[in-house]
Amino acid sequence: MPMPNINHIIPGPFQCGNYDPRNLPDLDDDSLDDLTAVLRALAKGSYPRLDSVPLALNAYNCNRKVDIDPWAYFHPVTVITPADVKMKGSPSIELDKDVIDDMAKPWNPIRHTGGQFNAAKRQFERGDWTPPPGSARYRFLCFIHKHRINRKSTIQKGVHTVSIWDREWDELTWHDTYHVDRETRRREIERFWQCVRMPNLIDRGYTREQFMNRIRYRIVYDICERVENTLRDTVPPRNTLYAVIGAALQHMNNACDAQVSIVPDRLELFGAQGLSLVPRFFAHLLWLCLDARPDWTREQRVKFVKQFKILERLRWMRAFVRRDLERRIAEVEMEVEDGDGGDEREGREWVFGLLGI
C-alpha cells in the first residue's frame, strides 16, 4: 500500500518528503542552521539573527496538532525606506506558493463556528477549531519590518514593527511598540503598503484604496516608555525584535480568538518572556530539531543540545523552559504507553542538565 502524501498538511515553507505520523517537516542543513542560530540567541538572551526569525516562527506552526490549528505565515523581513529618502522603485512581496494556493480556498470564520478554549485538550492555550475539508488553513499573513531610527542616546539604528493580515476580518494590523518617532514610522509603513506590489493580496478582491482603508495602526503601547522612565536609561531600539516575536507568538497561541489582534501592553509581551512566548518557542524549536533528525546518534544529540545552555541570569527562561519540556516529556510517555511514541523521543530528561535547567 503506498504511503499517503501529507505535504498538504505541512505548513509552508516546509515540506514532508517521507510519511511520518507526527507530520514532521524536512529540515535541510540551511533550515537547521537558521533554527540553531535562533535557539542559541534565545538561550543567551541576545538578539536572534534577523533573517532567521521568520523561518523559526514558521516552524512554530509545525506540531502534531496540524489538523486543528489555524496557521500563520511569516514572510522574510522587509527593510523599510526612511521617510526622508526617495524610494527606488516599488517594493515587491512574493508569497510562498503553498500560501498562495491556500488563499484561493474559502476561509471558515472562527467567530461563526464557536471555536472555544478547551484547557484539557489544548495545553497551548489555543481554541478547538476544525476546518471543513478543502477550507483555508492560514489565518495570518505576517510581515516583519525593519525601520531606521536616529536616536542620539543610542548607537542602534534598527526598530522592528510587524504587519499582520487577518483573514478572519480581512484587515491588516500594524503593531509598533517603540515610543520614539512613531509618526515617522507610520508614514513610512503607509508609503510601503501604498507602493508595494503584492498581487496575491492587494488588487485581488480589493483595490489599493480599499486595502489601505483596511489597515489598522496599533500604536497604543506605553510599556517601553515606562521601562525607560524606571531605568532612567534608553531601551535599545533593537529590543523591539523581541516585542515583534511576542506579538507573533501571541497571535499563534490564540489563533482561535477572534480578537487576537489586541495585543496586551504588558512587559511580558514586550520582552516575550511569558511562559507561552519565548520559553515555549524555545522548547518547540529544540524538540522539532531533535525529532527531525531521527538518525542522529546520542553523541550527536548531546553535541547539538550543548549549544543551548541557558544563562543563569535568565532565571525566568530556565524555569519556564523546564516546565514546558516536562509537559512534553509527559505527553510522549503517555504516547509510548499507547504505542504511538517513537523510540528516539524516549527518555529526554538528559537535556535538562545540558540546558542548565
Side-chain angles (χ1 to χ4, degrees):
M1 178 182 298
M3 293 296 185
N5 181 353
I6 61 171
N7 280 339
H8 65 288
I9 59 171
I10 294 294
F14 305 98
Q15 295 294 323
C16 182
N18 299 308
Y19 174 73
D20 189 308
R22 291 169 292 160
N23 300 320
L24 293 175
D26 282 340
L27 291 182
D28 58 25
D29 290 343
D30 289 340
S31 296
L32 184 65
D33 179 66
D34 283 333
L35 300 189
T36 298
V38 172
L39 282 166
R40 281 202 198 106
L42 298 181
K44 296 177 181 178
S46 61
Y47 301 112
R49 195 170 70 196
L50 184 58
D51 61 352
S52 298
V53 170
L55 184 76
L57 289 170
N58 280 320
Y60 193 66
N61 288 312
C62 301
N63 58 62
R64 300 201 64 211
K65 308 290 192 304
V66 293
D67 59 332
I68 296 176
D69 299 319
W71 296 334
Y73 170 72
F74 291 84
H75 185 268
V77 176
T78 59
V79 178
I80 302 299
T81 304
D84 58 353
V85 175
K86 184 178 180 180
M87 298 182 72
K88 297 180 180 179
S90 298
S92 178
I93 288 179
E94 295 184 13
L95 298 175
D96 184 85
K97 180 181 180 302
D98 289 341
V99 177
I100 294 174
D101 293 342
D102 190 78
M103 290 182 66
K105 299 176 182 178
W107 173 255
N108 187 46
I110 291 170
R111 61 189 183 277
H112 295 163
T113 54
Q116 297 178 356
F117 177 69
N118 185 331
K121 181 180 179 183
R122 307 296 297 141
Q123 297 202 25
F124 279 132
E125 301 177 359
R126 299 175 180 171
D128 183 6
W129 178 80
T130 303
S135 63
R137 298 303 312 278
Y138 286 96
R139 175 177 177 180
F140 306 114
L141 305 184
C142 309
F143 309 92
I144 299 173
H145 313 291
K146 182 177 181 179
H147 306 251
R148 181 179 177 85
I149 188 172
N150 291 309
R151 195 176 184 193
K152 294 180 180 179
S153 53
T154 177
I155 61 173
Q156 292 190 10
K157 301 299 182 183
V159 173
H160 302 92
T161 65
V162 63
S163 297
I164 302 178
W165 176 262
D166 186 353
R167 296 177 71 185
E168 179 72 13
W169 300 100
D170 283 344
E171 289 182 340
L172 184 134
T173 304
W174 176 68
H175 300 267
D176 182 2
T177 60
Y178 205 64
H179 60 295
V180 177
D181 285 349
R182 269 199 185 120
E183 286 305 315
T184 298
R185 288 190 296 280
R186 174 165 175 163
R187 291 197 304 273
E188 292 172 351
I189 207 68
E190 282 184 298
R191 182 171 68 166
F192 173 82
W193 286 116
Q194 182 67 55
C195 299
V196 70
R197 295 193 305 271
M198 192 179 174
N200 299 108
L201 180 59
I202 305 173
D203 298 330
R204 181 179 179 175
Y206 294 106
T207 65
R208 180 75 60 167
E209 181 180 3
Q210 289 171 331
F211 175 80
M212 296 301 296
N213 288 333
R214 302 196 75 80
I215 300 178
R216 300 167 60 199
Y217 301 91
R218 287 274 296 165
I219 58 174
V220 287
Y221 296 102
D222 301 320
I223 194 65
C224 183
E225 186 173 11
R226 293 174 187 170
V227 170
E228 286 196 348
N229 292 338
T230 301
L231 297 178
R232 294 168 180 81
D233 198 2
T234 300
V235 172
R238 197 178 179 187
N239 278 21
T240 52
L241 180 56
Y242 271 104
V244 164
I245 292 173
L249 295 173
Q250 169 81 359
H251 276 70
M252 287 191 280
N253 288 340
N254 299 280
C256 289
D257 180 354
Q259 303 296 338
V260 69
S261 64
I262 303 175
V263 178
D265 184 26
R266 297 200 301 262
L267 183 61
E268 61 267 30
L269 268 297
F270 182 71
Q273 295 169 282
L275 168 62
S276 62
L277 301 175
V278 159
R280 183 161 291 164
F281 184 41
F282 178 93
H284 176 84
L285 293 181
L286 180 64
W287 245 227
L288 183 67
C289 291
L290 291 174
D291 285 345
R293 288 292 187 272
D295 297 332
W296 273 352
T297 64
R298 178 62 175 266
E299 289 73 22
Q300 288 175 305
R301 291 171 178 275
V302 168
K303 181 180 179 181
F304 179 74
V305 176
K306 270 186 176 179
Q307 306 174 80
F308 314 126
K309 185 173 182 178
I310 302 173
L311 296 184
E312 188 172 354
R313 65 180 174 82
L314 301 177
R315 295 185 180 180
W316 58 272
M317 180 76 166
R318 292 156 69 99
F320 286 164
V321 168
R322 182 177 181 107
R323 188 186 304 179
D324 198 81
L325 290 179
E326 286 176 341
R327 176 187 59 79
R328 291 169 185 267
I329 289 173
E331 289 179 351
V332 170
E333 289 175 348
M334 292 179 61
E335 291 167 0
V336 170
E337 291 178 1
D338 295 337
D340 189 34
D343 292 340
E344 72 277 0
R345 296 190 297 153
E346 295 184 46
R348 282 194 182 165
E349 290 85 352
W350 56 270
V351 304
F352 294 157
L354 297 175
L355 295 175
I357 59 176

